[in-house]
Amino acid sequence: MEHPLHPEGKRTSWLADHITLPIAVAIAVLAALFIVALAYWLYWEDDNRKYDIARAGQQTTNRITEDEVAAVDVTSPVSREEIEKKKTFLQEEVIALDKIDGFEPEDLNDTTIQFVAPPAR
Amino acid sequence: MRTKNRIRVLVVLVVAIVTPLLSHTVVYGQDVTAFGCEATQRYLRNVQKARDVRTRVDRLQAYRYIHQRLDVFIGRIERNNQPNAKNMRADIDRLYDATEAFRLDYEVYDTARDTVSTLEDCRNNTEQFANKLQEAREKRAIVAQDVALIRSIIGTNIPEQLDVIEQKLKEQENR
């Protein structure tokens, strides 16, 4: 029996038979959404996100701004528990800062900056 | 015919998805086969500068944020005449000074790096290019030293002062 879509009777691949244009477009859109979601998740989980600058249209303030506008106790004596918290805060900050580049000298070595010295004449 | 069209559509879609990823790789690995100083200048201008600017913004914000929080904290200790306030204040002032030094030294390094990347006709000015590059490396090393100093203040000196305060408060409670 002759196939209505392939009157010449040629065999086609499974992929070509099942992936129509709308399905292909849907796959592309889903792939794009997945990449965006993955990138945003990585950004959201980053310890240094709180230092990121606020962006236009951002609905919520970033964490550092929230901390700045939060009511801060500036008068009462400091307790030992608060000192422990402050030490933990500093430890976390140091860990977060260690994940940022530190202007290491090797970033400008010949290999990294792709510098090839000219041959001797 | 229909099969060929579908394959063409699929190819277009795959190219549309993969091209941005590839272009990113190409930008960062650009001109690896290019010879001499022009490739270096392009790298410094297009890749290294962007990285440095981001690092500078992130670090400066972090340092100022940490200093602000600690400044409020030491203010409470001073206001209530709690122990070790003077030493703690000295370390927090050192953090402020080191942060300012970082900011200023970065500006100097930034200028030095830009001088390398904008040097005209570097192929015929090899000696000048090498000297400017060396100068940029030295300025960058100074910034790296600032970063190391700030890390030691935040990660070692101030926690040590906090330990002293904690110990003295404990002693006061036990009296």
Side-chain angles (χ1 to χ4, degrees):
Chain A
M1 186 180 167
E2 197 174 65
H3 194 287
L5 294 177
H6 305 287
E8 64 275 23
K10 289 181 183 173
R11 291 181 66 187
T12 57
S13 68
W14 180 91
L15 197 68
D17 281 342
H18 290 81
I19 306 291
T20 59
L21 180 59
I23 291 175
V25 170
I27 290 171
V29 169
L30 287 174
L33 286 173
F34 172 74
I35 291 169
V36 170
L38 179 66
Y40 199 77
W41 179 77
L42 289 172
Y43 164 75
W44 199 256
E45 290 296 311
D46 193 333
D47 290 333
N48 295 310
R49 176 172 60 86
K50 62 176 173 289
Y51 300 129
D52 202 8
I53 52 175
R55 291 185 166 79
Q58 204 171 24
Q59 288 187 344
T60 54
T61 54
N62 57 23
R63 278 164 33 203
I64 193 166
T65 314
E66 286 171 6
D67 283 347
E68 283 170 2
V69 299
V72 178
D73 179 5
V74 294
T75 54
S76 65
V78 169
S79 66
R80 283 171 54 200
E81 290 73 26
E82 285 175 301
I83 289 173
E84 278 301 318
K85 280 184 189 171
K86 195 58 70 181
K87 280 163 41 182
T88 306
F89 159 75
L90 285 174
Q91 278 175 358
E92 288 172 354
E93 294 300 325
V94 168
I95 290 169
L97 283 167
D98 284 346
K99 292 178 183 173
I100 305 176
D101 284 346
F103 295 97
E104 289 81 6
E106 56 266 27
D107 288 345
L108 285 194
N109 66 26
D110 286 351
T111 309
T112 310
I113 62 175
Q114 305 170 5
F115 181 56
V116 183
R121 289 180 185 171
Chain B
M1 194 66 183
R2 201 177 168 86
T3 307
K4 281 184 180 176
N5 282 339
R6 285 176 178 169
I7 290 171
R8 282 180 190 142
V9 169
L10 270 177
V11 168
V12 169
L13 289 172
V14 169
V15 168
I17 292 170
V18 171
T19 301
L21 300 175
L22 281 179
S23 66
H24 183 79
T25 308
V26 169
V27 166
Y28 275 81
Q30 64 183 342
D31 295 330
V32 284
T33 57
F35 178 78
C37 55
E38 286 98 342
T40 297
Q41 287 186 311
R42 275 194 293 274
Y43 179 86
L44 291 176
R45 206 165 39 233
N46 299 335
V47 180
Q48 193 60 50
K49 181 165 185 163
R51 283 184 188 156
D52 287 343
V53 167
R54 181 178 168 80
T55 304
R56 183 254 187 204
V57 168
D58 286 351
R59 284 199 170 271
L60 203 53
Q61 283 200 95
Y63 296 155
R64 287 177 171 166
Y65 171 65
I66 293 166
H67 177 266
Q68 184 191 32
R69 297 279 298 266
L70 290 173
D71 192 47
V72 171
F73 193 71
I74 187 63
R76 290 172 61 192
I77 293 173
E78 289 170 331
R79 188 169 285 117
N80 294 286
N81 296 319
Q82 290 185 281
N84 205 34
K86 196 176 175 184
N87 290 338
M88 179 91 178
R89 171 58 76 184
D91 273 342
I92 292 173
D93 287 346
R94 276 181 66 219
L95 173 61
Y96 179 82
D97 292 341
T99 303
E100 280 301 293
F102 167 77
R103 185 177 68 80
L104 296 172
D105 289 338
Y106 175 84
E107 297 300 327
V108 174
Y109 158 66
D110 194 52
T111 305
R113 191 204 51 237
D114 283 350
T115 304
V116 179
S117 62
T118 55
L119 185 71
E120 288 186 11
D121 195 16
C122 62
R123 281 196 184 217
N124 292 319
N125 291 315
T126 50
E127 192 174 336
Q128 194 183 5
F129 180 81
N131 289 339
K132 295 293 180 190
L133 182 57
Q134 184 56 33
E135 195 177 321
R137 285 171 171 158
E138 287 167 5
K139 302 301 181 194
R140 186 179 177 88
I142 293 172
V143 180
Q145 287 171 9
D146 293 336
V147 168
L149 174 64
I150 293 172
R151 193 195 187 284
S152 74
I153 295 172
I154 296 170
T156 308
N157 300 147
I158 293 178
E160 281 175 358
Q161 299 299 343
L162 288 170
D163 282 338
V164 172
I165 298 172
E166 191 177 16
Q167 187 61 36
K168 291 191 175 177
L169 288 177
K170 191 177 178 182
E171 287 170 8
Q172 285 179 355
E173 286 173 13
N174 292 336
R175 278 176 201 163

